[in-house]
Amino acid sequence: MMIGEVAEKSGFSVHTLRYYEKIGLLPTSHRDGGGRRSYDDDVLRWLEFLSRLKDLGMPIRDRVLYARLRAEGDSTIEARRRLLQTYRDALAKRVISLTETLDVLDAKIASYDTTGTPLKGPRK
Amino acid sequence: MMIGEVAEKSGFSVHTLRYYEKIGLLPTSHRDGGGRRSYDDDVLRWLEFLSRLKDLGMPIRDRVLYARLRAEGDSTIEARRRLLQTYRDALAKRVISLTETLDVLDAKIASYDTTGTPLKGPRK
DNA sequence: CTAAGTGCTAGAGTGTGCTCGAGGTCAAGC
DNA sequence: GCTTGACCTCGAGCACACTCTAGCACTTAG
């Protein structure tokens, strides 16, 4: 696969993929005869996982750290586990908080719908 | 209340509060004799709500828009409702997606924890 | 009376995470 | 053999949301 296809399948732009490689989120690409990057399917699973880490709010420097540990092999499994555990716990809290926010919004929207005036009691 | 107290109670910095006023997230403050901003308790509830909007990912532009509509009074209730509804729906999807991510992380962490079969599992 | 503390403005600076542009190479179809 | 389009590098630029600085004014405790 060339970079354009990876971009299309992963949802990251070509620019972003090259940027990710530069900062160490993606391993140094294998190149074809013409110097172009050549990828195999594994990269798509890795990008999907990276995308989840990004989405849950892991900053890029920790994603890079995780990628570096991963590249170092099995000896870093414990470090990776601890890193993921930290973000997992934060995420669990965040899901709870966002669920509360969802309730707050629903209440607010309901107050707009029923009374036409926010934060007042129920209509008689 | 002066700005420092609002900062302490709301969790926003003094700098941020002045910035929020400048861009229209907070109404133009009343000033005391010495030209200092003076707030009443309402501002804390408003800041808490703004904080939720921020937390759910509403960009500052739309928070400003919401604040502007709110300042314009009851005639904008329908517009505000629509705005909140949009973000509520996105948030509902996001909560689902983050819950999935939580499962993904838990599975991954569990695979790291299985010391029984040393690392023959999927290595993403 | 004075020093510490808090406040003020305008505007510049910062960190994050991309995003884009200039100027070029390379492979394939017509 | 030329055009088209995807790729390359390097580095600058951008959007967002603050965050901080300089230089000054005001208030309050001792």
Side-chain angles (χ1 to χ4, degrees):
Chain A
M1 250 189 306
M2 278 195 293
I3 199 168
E5 192 178 346
V6 175
E8 197 182 331
K9 287 184 177 169
S10 69
F12 291 101
S13 76
V14 169
H15 280 305
T16 299
L17 291 173
R18 287 195 285 245
Y19 165 70
Y20 277 6
E21 180 177 325
K22 188 167 77 182
I23 64 171
L25 268 187
L26 293 177
T28 305
S29 306
H30 182 253
R31 302 301 179 106
D32 71 11
R36 290 131 127 186
R37 292 173 179 80
S38 168
Y39 301 88
D40 56 27
D41 289 355
D42 287 352
V43 80
L44 294 177
R45 283 191 295 278
W46 172 233
L47 284 169
E48 196 194 324
F49 187 63
L50 279 180
S51 176
R52 285 212 181 262
L53 294 183
K54 174 187 173 178
D55 192 51
L56 70 81
M58 187 188 286
I60 210 163
R61 63 180 165 279
D62 277 350
R63 270 139 59 209
V64 169
L65 170 60
Y66 184 83
R68 218 194 60 219
L69 291 171
R70 177 172 173 271
E72 281 176 30
D74 288 351
S75 67
T76 66
I77 281 182
E78 179 53 23
R80 277 183 270 162
R81 194 199 56 76
R82 279 198 306 272
L83 190 54
L84 289 192
Q85 185 73 51
T86 300
Y87 282 97
R88 192 226 89 100
D89 292 348
L91 176 57
K93 284 182 182 133
R94 184 155 174 69
V95 166
I96 290 169
S97 160
L98 288 177
T99 302
E100 280 168 20
T101 294
L102 201 51
D103 290 343
V104 169
L105 285 187
D106 281 339
K108 190 106 183 149
I109 289 166
S111 83
Y112 285 159
D113 281 343
T114 58
T115 68
T117 306
L119 303 175
K120 292 293 190 306
R123 200 167 42 160
K124 288 181 210 165
Chain B
M1 251 189 306
M2 276 194 293
I3 200 169
E5 193 179 346
V6 175
E8 198 183 328
K9 287 183 177 169
S10 69
F12 290 101
S13 76
V14 169
H15 281 306
T16 300
L17 292 173
R18 284 194 287 246
Y19 166 69
Y20 276 7
E21 181 177 327
K22 189 166 77 180
I23 65 171
L25 269 188
L26 293 176
T28 306
S29 307
H30 297 118
R31 302 303 180 102
D32 70 10
R36 289 131 128 190
R37 291 173 180 80
S38 169
Y39 300 89
D40 56 27
D41 289 356
D42 287 352
V43 80
L44 295 177
R45 282 189 295 279
W46 173 234
L47 284 168
E48 196 194 323
F49 188 63
L50 280 180
S51 175
R52 288 214 180 258
L53 294 182
K54 174 187 173 177
D55 192 52
L56 70 80
M58 187 189 286
I60 211 162
R61 259 191 312 287
D62 278 350
R63 273 144 49 214
V64 169
L65 170 60
Y66 183 82
R68 218 195 60 218
L69 291 172
R70 178 173 174 270
E72 281 177 31
D74 288 352
S75 67
T76 66
I77 281 180
E78 179 52 24
R80 278 182 270 162
R81 193 198 58 75
R82 279 198 306 273
L83 190 54
L84 289 191
Q85 185 74 49
T86 300
Y87 282 98
R88 191 225 89 100
D89 292 347
L91 176 57
K93 286 184 181 129
R94 183 156 173 70
V95 166
I96 290 169
S97 160
L98 288 176
T99 302
E100 280 168 21
T101 294
L102 201 52
D103 290 343
V104 169
L105 285 187
D106 282 339
K108 190 109 187 148
I109 289 166
S111 84
Y112 285 157
D113 281 341
T114 49
T115 43
T117 21
L119 322 170
K120 223 29 189 160
R123 186 169 155 252
K124 279 185 189 162

